[in-house]
Amino acid sequence: MPESTSVSSRRSLLFGAAAAVTAGGLLTACTSNEPSDKSDGGSKPADQPVADSKPGKQVTIGFAGPQADHGWLNAITDNAKDRAKKYSDVTLEATEGSNDTAAQIGQVETLINKKVDVLVVLPADGKALTQVGLKAMRAGIPVVNLDRIFDTPQAYRCWIGGDNYGMGLSAGNYIGEKLKDKKNAKVVELAGLDNLELTKQRSQGFDDALKNYPNIKKVARQAADFTVESGQAKMSQLLQAQKNFDALWNHDDDQGVGALRAIEQAGRDDFLMVGGAGALSAFEAIKSGRGVLKATVLYPPTMAASAIDLARALGQGKGIGGMAEFEIPAHVTLYSAVVDETNVDKYMSTGFK
Amino acid sequence: MTQPATPTRPAEPNRAAVTKSRPKTLGALHMDIRTLSLLGVLAALIVIGGITQPDSFLDGDNVQLILTQASVIGVVTVGMTFVIISGGIDLSVGAIVALASVWASTVATQEYGFVGILFTAILVGVGCGLVNGVLIAYGNIVPFIATLAMLASGRGLALQITDGKTQMITVDSVLKLGERDSYILGIPPLVLVFAAVTVIGWLVLNRTTFGRRSVAVGGNPEAARLAGIDVRRQRLYLYLLSGLCCGIAAFLLLVLAGSGQNTNGNLYELDAIAAAIIGGTLLTGGRGSIVGSVLGVLIFITIQNIFALNNLETATQQIAKGAIIVAAVLLQRRTANTTS
C-alpha cells in the first residue's frame, strides 16, 4: 500500500480527535525508515509503482530554505520552484527564506499546520532544526531533508545532499592526474569559511586524494569567506607568498570570481585552477579555455529539484525507477563530478549566477 | 530654538577650550609620541615580515599589495575617524559600502560606463549618510541605534537589489583601473585615491573651521553650542562625510574585486572603528588623528599580509590578531603616559 494513503488516513485519525498521543507514537513508527509493509500489511511488491512524469495524485509540498543570500542558495530556491512547476500534480508552498533559526522553525510549523503532504527542508542550521523535523514526522508528514543534515535520522524520511568530502576528493584526484608526471609538484588551496564544518570536510577530501600522489605537495592553504571580496584579498596574498606552484584548488566559485580577479591583476598564468560548486561564470571561463580555471567540482543546486522529485514520489507513494527497492531510499548523496572542457556543455544549463 | 539663528563672530571656541586646556605645545608633542609609537609597531611588523619571509615580504609587489588592500578600508576609516571624534559612531559603513557597490554594479548603471558607476556609488553613499545624519541630528536618535538600523536595512536592500547574485563589472575602464597597466610611477590608482583622501582628511581636521568644530562637538557639545556652533548641522555634515567616504570606498572595491556583491564591506564597521581607536582616537570623542587611523589600518593589513605569507591557520590568525591589537593599544598608551 502506498505510504501516502496510509499517512493521510492516519492523519485523519489524528484530526478525528482520537487519542493524539497514541496516534503520534504510531505515526513516528510508520514514517520512520522501517519498511512500510510492517505496518501496512498487504502491499505486494508488484503493486509498487515507480515515479514518472505522468500526472498522478495531487501532492502539496511545503518548502522551507535559508535566505538566498548568495549564488548557490539562490539557485537552490529557483531549482525547487522550477521543478515543482513542471508537475501539474504538485502544489508548492514555499516560505520566504530565513537564516534565523527561530524564524525558520516558525515557518516549518506553519507548513505543518497547513497540512502539506510532504516537507522539503533545507535548514540554515541542521542541528537547530532537528526538533521541528521530528515534529513534522510525528505529525505524519514525511520530511525530505535537503543538504544540511538534521541531527537524527528520525527527523527525516529521506536525506539528499551534496558531498563535501567528495568535492575535495574529486578536486584532488583531478589535479593529481594532471600533475602525476611532474616532479616536486606544488599545489595551493584557497579554502572557504573555516568556521564551517563543510570546509574541513572539503580540505580533508583534498588531502586524502593528494596522498595518492607522492610527487605532489600542498605548500599553502588560506581560508576566505565565500565572498568575492575575501577571495580577491586572500588570493592576492597567496600569489605573493607562492611565486610558483602548479595547481590551485578553490573551494567556491563565488569567491573564485574574486580569486580570478586577483590572478588576473597579478598577471599570473603559470598554474591550473580547479573551482568548486558549479557557477555559470566558472563554466563559461572553463569553456573559453583562456584563463587558469580549467575545471570545477560540482556541488549541484539541482539537488533541490531532485528533492522535489523525491517529495512528490513520497506523496504519491511511489518508488524510484531503475531500483529494486519499493521505497524511496533514506539517503541520497550526490556525486561531486568534475566539469572541465570535455563535458562543460552538458552542465552549462545547471550553472548558477 | 536654543541656538542663535546667525552665529556672530567670534563663533569659534578657542583651541585651548576645545583641547580641555592642555598646553598646546605639549599637546602637539603628545600626539607625535602616539604617532611614533604606532610607527614603531608598524616597523616591528615590517621586521617580523622581513625576517620570516625575506623574499616575498620585502619586494615592491608586496608593498603595492599592502597599500592597495588598505585603500578601501582606509578611506572608510578616515570618515569614521571624523564621526568618532565628534562623539558619534557609524556602524553602517560596511552596509553602505555594500549597498553603494551593488547599486553601482547593476546592469542599468553600467550602461553609463565609468562615470555612471562612480557617481552612483558616491550618490548612494552620500544618500545613506544623509539619512543617518538627519536621524541623528534632527531625529535625536542615538548614533548607535540610527546607524545600526542603517546597517540592517542597507544590507537588506543590497540583498534585494542583487537577489543574492554576484554582479560582474563589464565596463573595461573601471576594471583597468585596478590592473597593472594603469599604475602611475608604480603606484596603483587606488592607493593614490587613498593618499588623497588621507591628506584632505588631515587638512580638514587640522586646518579648517569644520575640523575644529568637529572636535569641539565631540569634546563638549554644550560648550560647542554655547560657543555658537550649530551642533546639529555639524553632526549632519559628519555623517554625510562618512557616507561620502563609503561611496568612494565602494567604487574602489568595485575596481579591486571587479564585481558587486551584497556581502561586500563585510565587518568594515569593526575594522574601521578598531583602526581609529588603535590610531589614538577617543571613542568618547573630542580627540583623534587621521594619521593615527591610517597607521592603524596599515598595521591591520600588514598583520594579515604577514599571516598569509607565513601560511598561518585561520584560528591562529584570529588569536594573534587579537593579541596584537591589545599590544598596540597598550604600547601606545604607555608611551603616551610616560611623556605627558
Side-chain angles (χ1 to χ4, degrees):
Chain A
M1 184 182 224
E3 182 169 320
S4 65
T5 338
S6 60
V7 164
S8 59
S9 66
R10 267 182 244 116
R11 198 190 302 138
S12 58
L13 184 72
L14 182 68
F15 291 105
V21 181
T22 329
L26 185 70
L27 288 170
T28 319
C30 297
T31 48
S32 68
N33 299 325
E34 292 168 39
S36 65
D37 59 351
K38 217 183 234 177
S39 51
D40 290 348
S43 88
K44 288 190 191 112
D47 294 343
Q48 185 66 25
V50 157
D52 54 31
S53 53
K54 282 181 210 132
K57 178 178 171 287
Q58 280 293 328
V59 179
T60 304
I61 299 172
F63 179 82
Q67 197 170 55
D69 55 5
H70 89 287
W72 186 85
L73 283 169
N74 203 52
I76 280 283
T77 317
D78 288 349
N79 263 289
K81 287 182 177 162
D82 290 349
R83 193 66 156 200
K85 265 184 225 142
K86 255 186 61 179
Y87 298 117
S88 59
D89 51 10
V90 167
T91 313
L92 192 73
E93 293 257 7
T95 63
E96 192 64 34
S98 172
N99 286 334
D100 178 41
T101 299
Q104 208 183 11
I105 289 172
Q107 288 169 342
V108 177
E109 282 179 339
T110 309
L111 290 171
I112 296 172
N113 291 343
K114 278 187 179 170
K115 297 165 198 157
V116 295
D117 297 311
V118 192
L119 267 172
V120 175
V121 184
L122 200 174
D125 178 340
K127 285 186 178 146
L129 266 280
T130 303
Q131 283 306 319
V132 79
L134 281 168
K135 188 175 173 184
M137 291 288 283
R138 290 198 180 113
I141 302 172
V143 176
V144 177
N145 181 193
L146 183 54
D147 199 43
R148 297 175 193 172
I149 195 161
F150 291 146
D151 219 15
T152 162
Q154 292 191 66
Y156 56 83
R157 166 60 186 80
C158 174
W159 176 83
I160 177 168
D163 184 2
N164 287 299
Y165 181 85
M167 274 180 91
L169 210 58
S170 291
N173 283 330
Y174 182 83
I175 287 173
E177 285 303 306
K178 290 283 172 195
L179 299 180
K180 67 180 172 191
D181 298 326
K182 191 169 171 77
K183 269 186 198 152
N184 303 322
K186 290 190 230 170
V187 299
V188 168
E189 185 181 15
L190 182 64
L193 198 61
D194 250 346
N195 295 337
L196 300 176
E197 200 181 343
L198 65 90
T199 302
K200 308 273 180 218
Q201 292 166 345
R202 289 180 191 185
S203 286
Q204 189 62 51
F206 189 60
D207 290 345
D208 287 353
L210 289 183
K211 281 180 193 151
N212 301 324
Y213 305 92
N215 62 319
I216 301 175
K217 194 175 164 227
K218 188 165 95 177
V219 290
R221 176 191 186 275
Q222 287 292 300
D225 297 338
F226 280 146
T227 67
V228 175
E229 191 187 348
S230 67
Q232 196 278 339
K234 292 289 182 170
M235 193 63 223
S236 53
Q237 285 172 340
L238 268 176
L239 290 168
Q240 179 63 25
Q242 306 298 328
K243 299 288 189 194
N244 62 77
F245 57 90
D246 303 291
L248 159 73
W249 184 43
N250 162 52
H251 284 203
D252 178 73
D253 286 336
D254 248 5
Q255 71 183 24
V257 171
L260 281 168
R261 176 88 179 132
I263 292 164
E264 186 187 0
Q265 282 162 338
R268 294 276 291 267
D269 58 358
D270 50 328
F271 54 87
L272 82 100
M273 173 175 168
V274 176
L280 186 61
S281 65
F283 289 160
E284 282 166 351
I286 292 164
K287 192 178 163 76
S288 82
R290 281 193 294 271
V292 291
L293 187 66
K294 299 298 179 202
T296 188
V297 289
L298 292 185
Y299 198 84
T302 46
M303 66 174 73
S306 302
I308 296 296
D309 289 343
L310 291 170
R312 174 173 171 266
L314 277 170
Q316 296 179 339
K318 292 173 178 168
I320 296 182
M323 285 184 84
E325 312 308 317
F326 305 154
E327 298 286 355
I328 298 290
H331 283 248
V332 182
T333 308
L334 300 183
Y335 180 64
S336 303
V338 178
V339 176
D340 65 3
E341 58 178 356
T342 62
N343 59 359
V344 63
D345 286 328
K346 186 171 104 183
Y347 289 97
M348 198 59 95
S349 65
T350 70
F352 57 85
K353 277 184 190 166
Chain B
M1 197 74 189
T2 49
Q3 290 143 22
T6 46
T8 48
R9 290 235 161 232
E12 301 310 320
N14 61 49
R15 286 200 86 179
V18 169
T19 49
K20 291 177 187 164
S21 75
R22 191 197 295 132
K24 198 179 172 185
T25 45
L26 207 78
L29 182 68
H30 189 89
M31 294 302 263
D32 281 347
I33 294 289
R34 281 177 177 283
T35 311
L36 279 176
S37 67
L38 286 173
L39 281 171
V41 172
L42 194 57
L45 286 173
I46 290 169
V47 170
I48 294 169
I51 291 171
T52 53
Q53 297 291 330
D55 297 335
S56 47
F57 185 79
L58 291 174
D59 78 7
D61 283 356
N62 199 43
V63 176
Q64 285 172 346
L65 176 63
I66 290 175
L67 292 174
T68 306
Q69 293 195 328
S71 305
V72 182
I73 184 71
V75 170
V76 172
T77 306
V78 169
M80 179 70 88
T81 305
F82 275 91
V83 169
I84 298 180
I85 284 173
S86 76
I89 196 89
D90 190 345
L91 298 180
S92 63
V93 289
I96 297 178
V97 168
L99 185 56
S101 72
V102 300
W103 218 315
S105 63
T106 54
V107 178
T109 315
Q110 297 201 31
E111 278 175 19
Y112 299 96
F114 188 97
V115 177
I117 293 175
L118 175 65
F119 274 85
T120 310
I122 288 178
L123 277 178
V124 173
V126 170
C128 293
L130 180 68
V131 174
N132 276 338
V134 168
L135 289 177
I136 292 161
Y138 298 98
N140 288 329
I141 300 177
V142 291
F144 187 93
I145 297 300
T147 58
L148 188 65
M150 177 59 77
L151 185 167
S153 46
R155 286 257 170 234
L157 203 51
L159 177 57
Q160 199 167 49
I161 290 170
T162 56
D163 198 13
K165 294 179 170 75
T166 302
Q167 301 184 147
M168 309 290 284
I169 295 284
T170 52
V171 178
D172 275 341
S173 52
V174 175
L175 293 173
K176 276 275 178 294
L177 209 54
E179 284 157 20
R180 211 160 279 272
D181 307 345
S182 45
Y183 287 10
I184 299 157
L185 301 172
I187 307 170
L190 263 61
V191 178
L192 290 174
V193 173
F194 175 34
V197 170
T198 304
V199 170
I200 294 167
W202 186 86
L203 286 173
V204 169
L205 182 63
N206 298 294
R207 294 283 181 273
T208 66
T209 317
F210 181 88
R212 281 203 298 284
R213 285 178 178 172
S214 305
V215 179
V217 167
N220 186 339
E222 186 58 22
R225 192 186 62 76
L226 291 173
I229 297 174
D230 187 339
V231 174
R232 291 184 162 184
R233 197 195 300 160
Q234 185 66 22
R235 288 214 167 113
L236 173 67
Y237 288 160
L238 284 161
Y239 288 92
L240 265 180
L241 178 71
S242 178
L244 170 68
C245 287
C246 292
I248 296 170
F251 180 75
L252 298 186
L253 185 53
L254 288 176
V255 169
L256 189 63
S259 62
Q261 208 187 21
N262 63 297
T263 49
N264 279 350
N266 193 27
L267 297 182
Y268 274 18
E269 53 280 0
L270 292 186
D271 286 346
I273 293 168
I277 304 300
I278 285 180
T281 299
L282 280 184
L283 198 49
T284 46
R287 195 189 73 203
S289 150
I290 298 292
V291 176
S293 293
V294 169
L295 286 174
V297 169
L298 288 175
I299 287 171
F300 264 141
I301 301 290
T302 308
I303 292 171
Q304 280 170 20
N305 182 262
I306 293 171
F307 286 164
L309 295 189
N310 285 293
N311 199 32
L312 253 61
E313 284 175 25
T314 310
T316 322
Q317 288 191 18
Q318 288 170 345
I319 297 165
K321 188 176 171 185
I324 291 171
I325 292 172
V326 173
V329 173
L330 282 180
L331 175 71
Q332 193 202 68
R333 202 153 289 161
R334 222 180 148 69
T335 45
N337 286 343
T338 46
T339 49
S340 60

